[in-house]
Amino acid sequence: MNTKKPSPYLMNAWYVAALSTEVPADTLFPRKLLDTSVLIYRKQDGTAVAMQDRCPHRFVPLHMGKLKDDQVTCPYHALRFDCEGKCTHNPHGNGHIPAAAKVRTFPLVEKYGFLWIWMGDQPADLSALADYSPLSDGHPNGVGYTYMPRDCYYELITDNVMDLSHVDHLHGEIITTRGQLSPRPPKVTDTANSVTARWEWSQTPALLIFNSFLPDPQAEARHWVEITWRAPATVQLSIGAIQGPGNLDLKDCVGQYDLHTSTPETEGSTHYFFATRRNHIVEDAEYNAAKIKGMHDAFVEEDGIVLDAVHVEMGTTDLLGLDPVLLPSDVAPVKVRRLLKKLREKEISA
Amino acid sequence: MNTKKPSPYLMNAWYVAALSTEVPADTLFPRKLLDTSVLIYRKQDGTAVAMQDRCPHRFVPLHMGKLKDDQVTCPYHALRFDCEGKCTHNPHGNGHIPAAAKVRTFPLVEKYGFLWIWMGDQPADLSALADYSPLSDGHPNGVGYTYMPRDCYYELITDNVMDLSHVDHLHGEIITTRGQLSPRPPKVTDTANSVTARWEWSQTPALLIFNSFLPDPQAEARHWVEITWRAPATVQLSIGAIQGPGNLDLKDCVGQYDLHTSTPETEGSTHYFFATRRNHIVEDAEYNAAKIKGMHDAFVEEDGIVLDAVHVEMGTTDLLGLDPVLLPSDVAPVKVRRLLKKLREKEISA
Amino acid sequence: MNTKKPSPYLMNAWYVAALSTEVPADTLFPRKLLDTSVLIYRKQDGTAVAMQDRCPHRFVPLHMGKLKDDQVTCPYHALRFDCEGKCTHNPHGNGHIPAAAKVRTFPLVEKYGFLWIWMGDQPADLSALADYSPLSDGHPNGVGYTYMPRDCYYELITDNVMDLSHVDHLHGEIITTRGQLSPRPPKVTDTANSVTARWEWSQTPALLIFNSFLPDPQAEARHWVEITWRAPATVQLSIGAIQGPGNLDLKDCVGQYDLHTSTPETEGSTHYFFATRRNHIVEDAEYNAAKIKGMHDAFVEEDGIVLDAVHVEMGTTDLLGLDPVLLPSDVAPVKVRRLLKKLREKEISA
Ligand code: FES
Ligand code: FES
Ligand code: FES
């Protein structure tokens, strides 16, 4: 829809537009992002580019056209555009190209297995894209990626990841902390555009995703999980377990390094992306496939249906406006909601 | 949706939330009523209770949770609520229960085979629930109940029952009055919150639902039907036929005692409930099942499709605002529309 | 929906309501036109009539009722209406017919294989219906008709037909002009309520729909196409090819005479009608069937999916308000948009 009201989203920021693997060569890939139709494709050298998925002539979605020599031809009257959005061919009349015949392009960066897009009016700020290189560094069988289209507002997904106190209640045996996590309020810290929460605890046996990789699977182990949200909607989560001496980090522990990131499609739907790299049996392709499938299914079938129901029941995207009861475990997600709102207000008034 | 405008419904009144049989033991039963998500369940002693179907923490529908020991546990972070809506357990942090952690409950009364709910802010007024004990008194094979979800505004259903002049035209042979009812304007009386209409006529043969229980099935019989609407949306209908001397009532006639009651789900959908008790072959289970199925099918396939089409064609819930042509047979339904509107306006201004 | 805002459509004008063949005898034919539910049926003498498809009593769509003796009986309470919308029978009370018991009728004219309706408040102006008699004159196997319900605003269809520069790009081999049409801006002329565009060119071989009927199928031929839009949404298109001397008209050329006409159902859906008469092998029924099927399929599968996508992407019906890039080939469709807007504004202010 062509809405005149200001976007509800933080615009000058990096969002994930797609997994790298979602956009093969020779393909016009359409996706609605932040209420805008976007076209993504790869040039012959492999570089991915993004532009508005509509012809400036009569507004045909360009992904219905043809890709050739890094250029897109509109299916309706065959205006042709290069990957900078410039019209390079007009088969009509004397072939003159009107100055206005331009398609808006968007900065697109491929990093860490994702295509990141910048849709705001300010110049794209590469330094605003955090370092998630642990995802790309290491054996290819030690990392998995997945994409989940969801029918809820994206902030509900951020809330979900920023408050892990739900894991013992919503999820099954496989990641239960045996009641150890809920009673512990996390240690929460923040910066101008990030919020971090960290929990540490011991449990017996260890988290079932880790215990078979520990010296004594049935014995107690020390655990930690640390999550860092960065504006607008990316959460990096690291988690691990250890028996005996050592630090609670991924160097010493059996653990994994995850990325949860969501991009609003509209105010009622979200593109949810996830990646996970583990530091154990990193060459095992079969284990890798089963692990990403298991996590995908849990997010969709356990978190997903609850968040969709919340979205419908709330009838608004403004959680705090509904005066929810707040628990100690809400410190981190509420900080995120408030900080994101502040950043967006600052952007609008700028 | 979370609407700020005042509800269009009369709030301080009893509506049917469900048939008694719709809510078995050990079940969290969700239903949207008057634009609000409601959860109904039975305590271990069988008493049914109702509360808002949303957790005050992050607005998860509570029916997605678990019922145990008369309490409901939210599936997301496991806050637990008793049947008075009080939070009795918080597994997070030090377990302190925030004062605001309460779920709104609604008075619920089980009577006459229905669960009646009071959703207004005023104290529930038990005296406002009329006596429909003929439904519950008598042989269980002499009464039938059914539930029909409908895609029209609930007042269209009330209109339908309050103006029986349609029976010869919309319905088939089985309940035709052979043209006798339409020409007779009913006798209409009213009170502060009810409207009654009564018709009396003779026809040959009698109504086909009754004639085989009369002395001479092919001969003339005297008939009557009386309907009483009570605010907000319950209509009690009694109908009978007799040959020879006797009063036009259910004591002397072959007849039945029905209840039509509808509860708005939204402004575009309605829960329509129906019950019928007859005073003949009351122990015949097979006849009973066929009778309630026949009436259900007629309401759905004959009245239902017409009312759904009217709802779409009107494009508003305000019939009288569209300046309809009024017929003599409209006296009762129009009185009902006006009285209900007056009661609602009084409630809003109170 | 019952909207209070003024209609977006030109009201005092002829629109096609249906193909003649869509409305057989003894049939109540419903169709929503210009946001209004319309009922069409044929009297016993074959004359087609149109009235609002809603009973003035309780707004039941009259097409759900029964047709007998040129009159319609409402299914709900059996008010009966003649084809002038007058209530002729009321089975209720003393049978008195309320003065307001009238259904609005609409002037309907059957001509050229179509039923044309006038829905405005001004008296229907027969002289405003242009002469399309070439459609009806000639062998019945030389003309084909089709109906296509579309999910886009009707002006997008007018744009499509008024700018033929798309034929080489959107459509396949069968009607390619081999790049000859696009470079030529058409000659455009207009009147107070019409716009005409005409192209002339040569190509080798001729248009494949015509070349096998020319002396030398593989040789060059002279071509022309002329389209005339008349308010509100009817476009007459003639096209032909010739080898050797002769005029570029349907008398001298192998060619066809087409009518494209669309009628808004709502602002998001359109009834698109099409007819084509050719001047060659006019008795060949098999060729005729294949030809109309081929054109129907091209409009639906080639133009249709593009226009539906444009409708969604635009999110508004106001193309010019979105500041499209304009090409030389847009002269005719833009003139049409502007003239139609002017006519509608004049009508509203009158
Ligand atoms: S709409 Fe793209 S070239 Fe015309
Ligand atoms: S949403 Fe119910 S406990 Fe959190
Ligand atoms: S609605 Fe048509 S007669 Fe009553």
Side-chain angles (χ1 to χ4, degrees), chain C residues 332-344:
Chain C
V334 168
K335 260 189 195 298
V336 166
R337 288 242 175 201
R338 294 210 172 115
L339 180 47
L340 183 58
K341 194 170 180 217
K342 208 174 79 183
L343 290 170
R344 176 61 184 144

Side-chain angles (χ1 to χ4, degrees), chain B residues 282-293:
Chain B
V282 299
E283 303 193 0
D284 188 331
E286 201 176 317
Y287 184 89
N288 199 45
K291 183 178 180 80
I292 189 71
K293 178 176 188 318

Side-chain angles (χ1 to χ4, degrees), chain A residues 37 54 56-58 76 78 93 100, chain C residues 159-160 182 313 319 324-325 330:
Chain A
S37 300
R54 77 183 204 181
H57 177 221
R58 286 184 171 276
Y76 202 178
Chain C
D159 293 341
N160 175 262
S182 285
E313 180 58 32
L319 179 88
V325 168
D330 284 311

